[in-house]
Amino acid sequence: MDEYYMDLAIKLAKQGVGKVNPNPMVGAIIVKNNKIIGKGYHKEYGGKHAEINAIESSIESLDGSTLYVNLEPCSHFGKTPPCVEKIIENKISKVVIASVDPNPLVRGNGVKKLLDAGVEVEVGVLDEENKKLNEVFMKYIIHKKPFVVMKVAMSLDGKIATTTGESKWISCEESRKCVHKLRSEVMGILVGINTVIKDDPMLNCRLENGKNPIRIIVDTTLKIPINSKIVSSANLIRTIIVTTKKANIDSINLLKEKGVEILIVNSKDNLVDLEDMIIKLGELNIDSILIEGGSKLNFAAINENIVDKMQVYIAPILIGGEDSKTPIGGSGILHLSEAFRLSKMDYKTIGSDILIEGYLKGSEA
C-alpha cells in the first residue's frame, strides 16, 4: 500500500506545477486505519508546505497515523516554519518519504530529527518517479543552474521550414497547446536574435489562465529592433536580453528605458558564452528554461552542453528541399562517434504528431 499512497501524493504534488518555482512540487497524504484522513500539496511559492496543508485538512486526530510525502520534510526556518516540528507535535507515528531533499539546508536533517523524536521513517518509495517530477528542482538546488528543455517541431523528413522559410504550422494544434502549457510551467523561454528579427514573436503563453515565462533573448551585439513586439511589451512581460561587452552603451540605455533588463556575459568565439549565461541566469533565481530557438542556437546550446532534455514533435508531413533548414544547424559534427546522444527515451502521440522526449547524455540533471 505504500506505493499506492505515495503515488497519490505525487499526483497531488503535480498540481503545483509552474506555481512553486524555485521550490519543489510536494504532495502529502495522511493515512490512519487504512483511511485517508488528510491531504495537501504545496500550492504556491512562499505558501504553506504540503505537510502543513495535509495536517490542517485532517478530519480526526493524527495520533498514530502515517504521513506519505514525496520529499523529505524540511527541518529549517525558511519562508515557513519547519514541517518536522508539526509532524512530531501532532504525534504522527510514521513518515514514508520518496526522496531525500538534496537541499544542503535539509538533506538528511529532517529524517534525523524525526528518528530522534521516535518517529518511524521509511525512505525510497517511488524515488525515481519523484525525481523525474522534480527534475528542475533537483538540478537547480544542487548546481544553481536552470534545467534546460529544448523543444523542436519538424516534419517527418527532419525539416523545420520550407525553402522559403515558411514554418507555421508544422506541428498540429494539440502539440502547440502542449508547448504553451510548458511555457506556462517553466520560468523562462529563450530564443536567439535571428528568431526575433525573422518572426517578431511575443513568446508569451496563449492558454487561458496561463503564466507568461520570462523572455530571454540571446543578442551578442544588441541588434534587436526597438519596435519589435518583445521590446514594445517589455513593461508587461519580464524581458532579459543577454549580450556582451560589444553592445553599444546607447542601445543598452534605450532598451532599459523600454523596460528591458540587460544581462552582460562573457563572449566566446565572438558570440554569447552560453555556459556563462546559464550561470548568471541561475544567479537570477531562474530555475528552468525552454529553448525555442533556430537551428544555429540549437546546435550551439547542445554543443555547449547546457541542454538537459529534448522534446521533439514530429509531424506526419514531408517537406523536402536541400536548403530547407533542420532543427540542429551550426557547424555540426565531423564523426558519428561525436554525435550527441539521448537516453531515457519516451514516446507518445499528440494529436496527429509524435512526441519524442529524451535526456542529453552528459547533462548535469
Side-chain angles (χ1 to χ4, degrees):
M1 291 298 289
D2 283 351
E3 290 191 354
Y4 170 76
Y5 289 123
M6 187 61 75
D7 182 61
L8 292 180
I10 288 174
K11 284 186 170 73
L12 263 179
K14 289 179 181 177
Q15 295 185 45
V17 65
K19 302 169 186 174
V20 300
N21 309 57
N23 282 352
M25 289 175 276
V26 183
I29 300 284
I30 303 175
V31 178
K32 187 174 181 179
N33 298 324
N34 297 317
K35 181 179 73 173
I36 295 175
I37 62 169
K39 57 185 179 180
Y41 69 97
H42 186 31
K43 296 181 179 180
E44 60 183 357
Y45 178 69
K48 293 178 182 178
H49 286 187
E51 300 93 321
I52 304 303
N53 285 329
I55 288 170
E56 292 182 351
S57 78
S58 61
I59 58 176
E60 59 181 86
S61 167
L62 300 178
D63 191 354
S65 64
T66 298
L67 169 70
Y68 293 85
V69 62
N70 59 301
L71 199 67
E72 178 183 9
C74 65
S75 57
H76 68 291
F77 281 89
K79 285 188 173 292
T80 59
C83 296
V84 164
E85 304 297 337
K86 280 289 184 182
I87 293 169
I88 296 169
E89 177 186 316
N90 282 275
K91 299 181 180 179
I92 293 172
S93 62
K94 182 178 180 180
V95 178
V96 181
I97 301 166
S99 309
V100 170
D101 192 331
N103 185 344
L105 292 173
V106 180
R107 190 169 50 213
N109 293 328
V111 170
K112 183 178 184 303
K113 283 193 175 183
L114 290 171
L115 291 172
D116 289 346
V119 178
E120 183 182 350
V121 178
E122 182 178 350
V123 179
V125 177
L126 300 189
D127 176 54
E128 287 304 313
E129 289 83 347
N130 174 61
K131 284 178 177 175
K132 183 170 184 180
L133 171 69
N134 278 301
E135 58 193 7
V136 169
F137 172 76
M138 293 290 178
K139 178 186 178 182
Y140 184 73
I141 202 69
I142 295 171
H143 300 287
K144 299 301 180 187
K145 296 178 185 178
F147 185 90
V148 179
V149 180
M150 177 179 288
K151 165 259 167 182
V152 298
M154 67 181 190
S155 63
L156 196 58
D157 56 340
K159 306 295 185 179
I160 61 172
T162 67
T163 53
T164 62
E166 183 182 344
S167 60
K168 291 181 173 57
W169 298 101
I170 288 178
S171 56
C172 67
E173 184 177 351
E174 292 87 344
S175 293
R176 298 197 296 276
K177 285 181 180 178
C178 285
V179 173
H180 279 274
K181 181 174 180 291
L182 183 56
R183 285 186 181 186
S184 181
E185 294 170 355
V186 297
M187 287 189 72
I189 181 169
L190 184 145
V191 301
I193 183 58
N194 291 335
T195 295
V196 175
I197 291 172
K198 175 179 174 290
D199 298 335
D200 194 21
M202 273 292 289
L203 301 179
N204 59 346
C205 174
R206 294 193 283 276
L207 296 181
E208 187 176 355
N209 299 320
K211 174 178 67 69
N212 288 324
I214 301 166
R215 301 177 301 188
I216 306 166
I217 314 301
V218 180
D219 187 357
T220 305
T221 57
L222 287 189
K223 296 190 298 182
I224 190 166
I226 203 69
N227 61 347
S228 64
K229 291 177 183 176
I230 293 288
V231 175
S232 300
S233 59
N235 282 318
L236 301 175
I237 303 174
R238 186 179 175 188
T239 303
I240 300 172
I241 296 183
V242 183
T243 190
T244 66
K245 293 178 181 177
K246 294 181 180 180
N248 180 277
I249 189 64
D250 291 334
S251 298
I252 290 175
N253 291 334
L254 181 58
L255 288 166
K256 284 182 175 180
E257 288 175 8
K258 296 287 186 178
V260 175
E261 296 177 39
I262 302 296
L263 180 63
I264 298 176
V265 303
N266 295 332
S267 58
K268 183 176 181 179
D269 299 327
N270 293 317
L271 297 170
V272 163
D273 184 333
L274 297 181
E275 174 61 20
D276 188 46
M277 174 192 74
I278 285 295
I279 292 171
K280 286 185 167 66
L281 290 173
E283 291 170 352
L284 293 176
N285 295 322
I286 296 173
D287 71 351
S288 50
I289 293 172
L290 173 63
I291 296 180
E292 290 196 51
S295 61
K296 184 178 178 181
L297 176 62
N298 286 349
F299 175 77
I302 293 174
N303 195 46
E304 293 299 317
N305 197 35
I306 67 166
V307 180
D308 298 295
K309 186 177 184 178
M310 291 282 299
Q311 281 195 345
V312 182
Y313 291 86
I314 303 175
I317 60 174
L318 301 170
I319 292 176
E322 292 183 6
D323 296 327
S324 301
K325 287 194 173 182
T326 59
I328 313 298
S331 58
I333 60 166
L334 298 178
H335 307 286
L336 286 177
S337 61
E338 302 168 348
F340 307 103
R341 299 184 183 276
L342 302 181
S343 62
K344 303 176 189 174
M345 303 293 289
D346 189 26
Y347 316 84
K348 59 185 172 184
T349 56
I350 306 288
S352 59
D353 299 340
I354 296 172
L355 170 60
I356 299 177
E357 291 184 303
Y359 295 81
L360 267 295
K361 287 190 175 181
S363 74
E364 292 174 308

